[in-house]
Amino acid sequence: MRVSSVASEAVQGLRRNLVMSVAAVVTVAISLTFVGGALLIRLTVDRLEDALYRDLTVSIFLNDGITDPQRQEVAQVLSGTPYVEEVTYESKEEAFRRFKLQNPNDPDLIANVTADALPESYRVELSDPEQYEVVASAVQGLPAVDEVVDFREFLESLFGILGGLRNFALATAGVQIIAATLLIANTVRVTAFSRRRETGVMRLVGATRWYIQLPFLVEGLVIGLLGTAIGVGLLAAGKWALLDGQLEELFRNGIIQNPSYTDIVLGQGPWLLALGLGISAVTSLLALQRYVRV
Amino acid sequence: MIRLEHVTKSYAAGSRPALLDVDVDIEKGEFVFLVGSSGSGKSTFLRLLLKEERPTSGRVRVAGKDLGSLSSWKVPALRRSIGCVFQDFRLLPNKTVTQNVAFALEVIGKPRHQVARIVPEVLELVGLEGKGDRMPDELSGGEQQRVAVARAFANRPMILIADEPTGNLDPGTSIGIMKLLDRINRTGTTVVMATHDAAIVDSMRRRVVELSHGRVVRDQDRGVYGYGS
């Protein structure tokens, strides 16, 4: 089997119906861009969860003017509660120090706050951050306890938004993949129709089914390859324009990580390539059933 | 070489079968004319030999293989042992004569050096030496059919099937094609030819199998086209 003749037949096929081929490539590219976008969102969320949950603490803020025994009681209850890994006490002075550290660019704010205005608290680290409710119900209602705050609640709403974005990207990708499948099938069929004399002769003289299908398979794979390359390019361009450009502030605090180009090209590229090639290969083989049946 | 045992072929349930209880045995090296009016089942007969169709009932054996139990991945091997020529030549219009013949060899995986050796040989055999670089539309009908014969015979098949090979040709040209098929037959190749051409059948005096409404109504050595002609 001659590689050059197979390749040239595939290229001829693509040129013969150029408009359809371009449409197929663009659709593959767009669908993979959305798939890649969804993957990037997931990657970001995973990293964020890792970073935040690793030292995620439940804060138990205490009332003003409580007695020592009352304070002890909270610590005792906490040490007897399951999932509690570590309990740290934070006094008003320590809270003030942390407050100053968290707002270094805001001297006016610091000047207006005194240590006394801030509540003392227990910071509780959980072995399983999902079990926040257990801790909350254990200490809620104790006379010393003012409020139990789980940082997860803040995060959950953020994750909710990101999850929605990801689902939207996945749904769009799904629709686009269906469109890409139909376009590739159509492109390959048009080529098969225009080459039906050749395939007819091939069948007649006893060429194998594999040999007959190969040029069409290659044609489909070229579409998949070009589409994937453009799709990855679009993702990188999207990162440059959107994440590095407009949403740049989102990443400045360092909590949410900006996905790198390496993430896009090396992390996702292979998956997207496999998806793009897989779709186009399966589609072009299925589209040909009618023409190569022996 | 070819054996049909009680073969019946119906395309759609309920309609008149295209072939009905056909029993034919063709020996190696025979030259057989398949005659009969349009719709008598000649084409179905030939398609069964290539396993392009399966019989509704009965058994088809070609070159020692029972086609009913031949798995589909072995069909290409079967077709490599059968050359085919058609009324409409079926040449590839965008390839030269040489390329057309070479194509049939390349797609079955013949190495390049063999193709380069076989193609001029077989073009000479069919009387087209020196015309290898022509395009099919630069050739006469008779020459185009010679290209088709060359393509069918290039792989030295055991069987050559010809479906009305002279149907588009004038009588003089037809004689040339028949001489060519006769020469191929003399190399030991079994030839099965479906035809309407009474003059050719009568002049060749070979075995004649006549089909009518799907039945074999005559099987005659050294026969003529029909009693009426």
Side-chain angles (χ1 to χ4, degrees):
Chain A
M1 196 169 299
R2 288 169 186 70
V3 174
S4 60
S5 74
V6 168
S8 81
E9 266 164 20
V11 170
Q12 266 179 35
L14 289 170
R15 282 173 54 180
R16 194 154 11 207
N17 40 345
L18 191 62
V19 174
M20 192 109 63
S21 307
V22 169
V25 168
V26 168
T27 319
V28 170
I30 292 173
S31 56
L32 290 182
T33 307
F34 277 97
V35 173
L39 290 177
L40 276 187
I41 291 173
R42 209 189 65 177
L43 180 77
T44 309
V45 169
D46 284 352
R47 284 183 181 162
L48 187 59
E49 278 182 335
D50 275 359
L52 292 176
Y53 282 178
R54 201 184 311 125
D55 45 22
L56 187 68
T57 53
V58 175
S59 296
I60 300 162
F61 294 105
L62 304 180
N63 287 320
D64 280 340
I66 50 169
T67 60
D68 260 355
Q70 284 173 328
R71 200 176 286 126
Q72 298 292 328
E73 185 189 11
V74 178
Q76 257 165 22
V77 169
L78 282 175
S79 64
T81 305
Y83 304 111
V84 171
E85 206 158 70
E86 204 184 323
V87 181
T88 331
Y89 171 74
E90 189 179 76
S91 68
K92 285 174 179 286
E93 286 70 29
E94 284 163 339
F96 185 55
R97 222 175 295 136
R98 207 156 63 91
F99 181 78
K100 282 195 285 194
L101 277 177
Q102 278 171 348
N103 301 284
N105 306 321
D106 224 339
D108 287 346
L109 185 65
I110 295 169
N112 281 318
V113 174
T114 61
D116 205 41
L118 296 170
E120 53 187 311
S121 63
Y122 282 107
R123 306 277 155 152
V124 182
E125 261 181 56
L126 300 181
S127 58
D128 178 1
E130 304 279 332
Q131 300 300 329
Y132 150 77
E133 283 296 335
V134 176
V135 178
S137 61
V139 296
Q140 210 109 54
L142 292 176
V145 173
D146 175 34
E147 198 185 1
V148 183
V149 174
D150 179 12
F151 283 111
R152 273 166 52 89
E153 274 176 39
F154 297 116
L155 296 178
E156 228 104 78
S157 63
L158 176 63
F159 289 154
I161 294 169
L162 288 174
L165 266 177
R166 184 193 56 199
N167 291 343
F168 169 76
L170 279 179
T172 313
V175 174
Q176 289 287 331
I177 284 176
I178 293 171
T181 308
L182 295 176
L183 276 168
I184 294 172
N186 219 340
T187 311
V188 169
R189 263 200 211 113
V190 168
T191 310
F193 184 75
S194 63
R195 290 192 65 231
R196 63 194 184 286
R197 277 180 216 264
E198 278 87 348
T199 46
V201 171
M202 285 164 125
R203 286 183 47 196
L204 205 63
V205 300
T208 58
R209 188 194 174 101
W210 168 242
Y211 193 101
I212 299 173
Q213 282 195 335
L214 194 65
F216 301 104
L217 180 64
V218 171
E219 182 179 336
L221 289 178
V222 170
I223 291 174
L225 191 69
L226 289 177
T228 309
I230 294 174
V232 172
L234 281 177
L235 269 182
K239 168 188 158 50
W240 178 77
L242 208 64
L243 301 186
D244 297 356
Q246 299 196 356
L247 299 179
E248 191 242 343
E249 291 198 5
L250 193 62
F251 307 108
R252 198 172 286 163
N253 62 15
I255 296 173
I256 304 178
Q257 279 190 43
N258 191 347
S260 67
Y261 289 109
T262 315
D263 290 334
I264 293 173
V265 177
L266 293 180
Q268 312 208 315
W271 296 106
L272 297 181
L273 187 66
L275 187 62
L277 294 185
I279 290 171
S280 49
V282 170
T283 308
S284 51
L285 290 182
L286 289 181
L288 282 174
Q289 290 303 316
R290 207 152 60 87
Y291 290 92
V292 297
R293 200 184 306 139
V294 288
Chain B
M1 182 62 43
I2 296 169
R3 191 180 175 87
L4 275 72
E5 295 168 12
H6 302 292
V7 168
T8 297
K9 172 68 189 178
S10 310
Y11 284 100
S15 68
R16 190 178 62 79
L19 287 179
L20 191 60
D21 197 27
V22 170
D23 237 355
V24 173
D25 196 350
I26 298 172
E27 298 293 325
K28 182 167 168 32
E30 267 195 285
F31 194 120
V32 180
F33 284 115
L34 208 54
V35 303
S37 55
S38 297
S40 59
K42 301 190 299 289
S43 292
T44 300
F45 188 107
L46 297 181
R47 290 170 64 80
L48 284 172
L49 303 185
L50 291 164
K51 214 188 172 190
E52 293 220 54
E53 304 286 351
R54 293 149 189 272
T56 311
S57 68
R59 231 152 59 120
V60 181
R61 297 180 68 87
V62 175
K65 294 171 193 133
D66 182 350
L67 300 197
S69 58
L70 191 72
S71 56
S72 64
W73 66 270
K74 283 183 175 162
V75 171
L78 168 75
R79 295 194 182 148
R80 286 175 199 194
S81 64
I82 304 175
C84 285
V85 179
F86 299 94
Q87 181 173 6
D88 57 357
F89 319 140
R90 303 204 187 168
L91 301 177
L92 303 177
N94 54 350
K95 290 187 191 294
T96 66
V97 169
T98 297
Q99 285 167 346
N100 260 284
V101 178
F103 181 76
L105 294 167
E106 283 162 6
V107 299
I108 58 171
K110 277 264 188 293
R112 200 184 289 251
H113 66 274
Q114 277 190 35
V115 175
R117 180 175 56 77
I118 293 171
V119 174
E121 267 176 30
V122 75
L123 283 181
E124 193 186 332
L125 175 81
V126 301
L128 286 176
E129 57 269 53
K131 298 201 168 164
D133 293 334
R134 303 280 188 90
M135 300 303 281
D137 59 6
E138 298 167 8
L139 301 177
S140 70
E143 286 170 327
Q144 289 187 47
Q145 192 60 294
R146 283 167 190 272
V147 179
V149 172
R151 181 177 69 188
F153 192 61
N155 193 34
R156 305 279 156 162
M158 290 185 285
I159 299 167
L160 188 75
I161 287 176
D163 194 356
E164 313 250 9
T166 60
N168 278 351
L169 305 176
D170 61 63
T173 313
S174 296
I175 290 170
I177 294 294
M178 289 316 297
K179 282 184 175 162
L180 178 56
L181 292 181
D182 188 47
R183 204 182 320 150
I184 285 173
N185 174 237
R186 284 175 202 280
T187 66
T189 307
T190 309
V191 178
V192 182
M193 170 170 161
T195 186
H196 274 127
D197 195 328
I200 284 175
V201 176
D202 291 348
S203 67
M204 297 275 290
R205 307 298 300 210
R206 298 299 191 110
R207 181 176 169 190
V208 174
V209 173
E210 182 175 350
L211 289 169
S212 175
H213 300 294
R215 291 174 181 277
V216 176
V217 294
R218 178 160 62 106
D219 189 344
Q220 193 176 25
D221 284 341
R222 303 181 60 75
V224 292
Y225 185 78
Y227 300 115
S229 60

